[in-house]
Every structure is written in structure tokens, then in C-alpha cells.
Amino acid sequence: MTVQHVIIIGSGPAGYTAAIYLGRAGLRPTLVTGALAPGGQLVNTTEVENFPGFPEGILGPDLMEAMRAQAERFGTEFIHEDVVSVELVDGNGDGAGAAGTVKRVTLDSGDVLEAHAVIVATGSQYRKLGVPGEEEYAGRGVSYCATCDGFFFKGKPIVVVGGGDSAFEEALYLTRFGSSVTLIHRRDAFRASAIMVERARANEKLTLLTNTVVTGIRGGEAAPSGVAAAQPTVKPLSLNLGGLSLGGGLNLPAAPARAGSVTSVDIRNTVTGDTGTLDTAAVFVAIGHTPATAFLGDIVAKDDDGYVLVEGAGTRTSAPGVFAAGDCVDRTYRQAISAAGMGCRAALDAQHYLESL
Ligand SMILES: Cc1cc2nc3c(=O)[nH]c(=O)nc-3n(C[C@H](O)[C@H](O)[C@H](O)COP(=O)(O)OP(=O)(O)OC[C@H]3O[C@@H](n4cnc5c(N)ncnc54)[C@H](O)[C@@H]3O)c2cc1C
């Protein structure tokens, strides 16, 4: 079998950018796109307004198609499958070569590829609430990224679900846009750091609603089955707030809903069992992400949540010749442009590695 220079796993902004750089360097990379979601997360969104170079914005699928075409122009070959495992093998295949100098990549069809370097750019999947209405209103009020979508909810009431640092960061950020932000958390204590909770408590626009779960998401015309029609106003609840003040947060004005967009959430107190409805134009789900790195097994070091660990600001993993970029590494920024930037770094790191062999 021919041992290739480099195989890239994943076809989001990180993977395509790595492919563009490696292709222009004459290394003819092979890019395994993933079987289900070629183009990555942006294929599931509509308008992208913060990727530089598009003053009027660009549709997510169009942006990813342009990246794919650019990678193809410089000689990238695409394989539309999933990678199921990566092994570090002996370079000679006879037990005499250096262990790990060749990376053996197995696809879900059973086909096997080999390369001297591998770039892992498999992204992450956001965790979902799993409640009625979540799928129906995804992109129409249900969002998993405040940085991406907060701007669309200027002057409207917003709900954030979650209790960790990310949820608090998102909630605080969203107070710049929303008329009010209600952070809903299922327990009475938060996983978030004390300083974040203090900041949230000090913010007049932000209400913390504890011991509460969202049980359904309702919308305008396209009300999901099994969920009753939207209520115009908030039903008062007798909730155990753990000493937190609701302030005026629950007396939100009804959102001027677009047809088929989110208008309210159903909520239930986990202690008393009381139920109610809270008007909102948006639900930001911030209950965590799962990096798509299980297929790597233990060939590279990962953190407890499965994010691949890299050296400093570079993209080198614990396995020489294996590099990682984008949302499968980055639990902080999670943006298309930051993933693309890291894809560039991975390509340059891989080039240097190949030159050193
Ligand atoms: C709804 C939504 C809207 C967003 N809007 C914006 C926005 O407006 N602006 C912005 O900057 N960011 C936005 N983001 C965030 C942005 O999409 C991500 O930060 C970015 O896509 C991450 O790029 P990535 O290359 O790391 O991974 P991804 O885009 O997640 O791509 C990962 C790729 O890896 C593939 N893959 C996974 N496992 C395997 C495997 N085993 N074998 C082969 N392939 C595999 C997947 O199929 C996918 O193609 C949004 C995200 C979402 C979900």
C-alpha cells in the first residue's frame, strides 16, 4: 500500500483549510469528509454574518461548498466515509521500523489508508435538551451558539439553559442584545465558577431560575405536535429559587414572533413539580459539547471530556505526526474562523513534521 503524505479527517472549516494549505504545498492530501455531515456544522445553519470577506453574510452551506471547491482546486482528494480508527504502526510493516511513523486509518467500509501524518479535524456535537419543539425550531429561535446567533434577538426576551461557565458566559453575552435573559438550571447549585455567578447576579437584565427544567419549546404557526398552543403571557410559578430573586424577569413582554419561530418554553420546577410557561423569542441551549474523538481511542492524549490535547498554541498532539485542529480541540472559541485558523496551523505543523522525516 502506498503511504501518503497526509490524511485529513473531517470536512469543516478546520479540515478544508488544512487541505487548501497542504494542497498548495504540493502534498496532495486525502480528506475523509465524514459520511453524514460533509461540510461540518455550518451546513446546518443559514446566514453566517461573521466570517470575514462576506460583508452581506453568506449561507453556511454556500461557505462550506466554496471551501470544498478551493481545496479541490489545489488537488485534495475526498473520501465520503467515516474514519472508525487510527493506529500508529511500524514504518516498515515488519517490526523493524520506528513505531508510529505510519498512521493506519480505517474507514467504515473496511478500507484502510496509510499516511505519515494525520490531521484530526472532526469537530464536536452540541448536546441537545431532547424536548418537544427543539428540533422543529432549531434555527428559528433554538440555538446552540450565542456568539453566532445572539445578534438576531435584539430587544427580545431570551432563555439560556445550563448551569456551567459556558452557560453563564453565553447568558452574560446575550444581555447585550436581549430585552431580558433568563438562565434556567435544573439544580439549585451551579457548576459555574463563583465569579461568573456573581457577575450574573449583578446584571439587572439577567434572571437565574433554578430547580427548573425546560420540558417543551413552543412556537408560532408551526406548533409541534403534543405541545399546546403558545400562551401570550407568563403563568406565575411558585418556584423554589434558592434565595435568588426573579425580579421582573418573568414578566416578559410577549415576543413579536416570526411565523414559525419560538414564542415560549414550558417549564417545570424539579422540587415542587409546578409547571408553567415562559415567553421567549430564543432558547440558547448551553449544556455542553461532545468532541467527535472516540474513534481515536488512546493513541493521543485527551482531556476528561474527550477534547484532544495539543502543545501550546500549536496543533501537535501527544503522538508524533498526529495533529488536531478546530472544535475537537477548542472548547473556548468554537467559531468557523478560529477553526479555520487552527486548520492552517495544523497544515503548517504537518508540513514541518514531514520535512523532518
Ligand atoms: C447551528 C450553528 C450555527 C453556527 N453559526 C456560526 C456562525 O454564524 N459563525 C461561526 O463562526 N461559527 C458558527 N458556528 C460554529 C461553527 O460551525 C464551528 O465552530 C465550526 O464549524 C467548527 O469547525 P470544525 O472544522 O472544527 O468542525 P465541524 O464544522 O464540526 O466539522 C467536523 C467534520 O468532521 C466530520 N467528522 C466527524 N467525525 C468524523 C469521523 N469519525 N470520520 C470522518 N469525519 C468525521 C464531520 O462530518 C464534519 O464534517 C455554528 C455552529 C452551529 C451548530
Side-chain angles (χ1 to χ4, degrees), residues 42 47-54 57-58 145 147-149 335-337:
L42 283 186
E47 205 69 41
V48 178
E49 293 188 332
N50 53 11
F51 199 89
F54 302 96
I58 181 168
C145 175
T147 313
C148 312
D149 296 331
Q335 291 294 288
I337 189 65

Side-chain angles (χ1 to χ4, degrees), residues 10-14 33-34 37 40-42 50 83 122 126 148 326-327 334-336:
S11 56
T33 61
Q41 295 173 54
L42 283 186
N50 53 11
V83 169
T122 44
Y126 47 80
C148 312
D327 284 14
R334 288 199 290 257
Q335 291 294 288

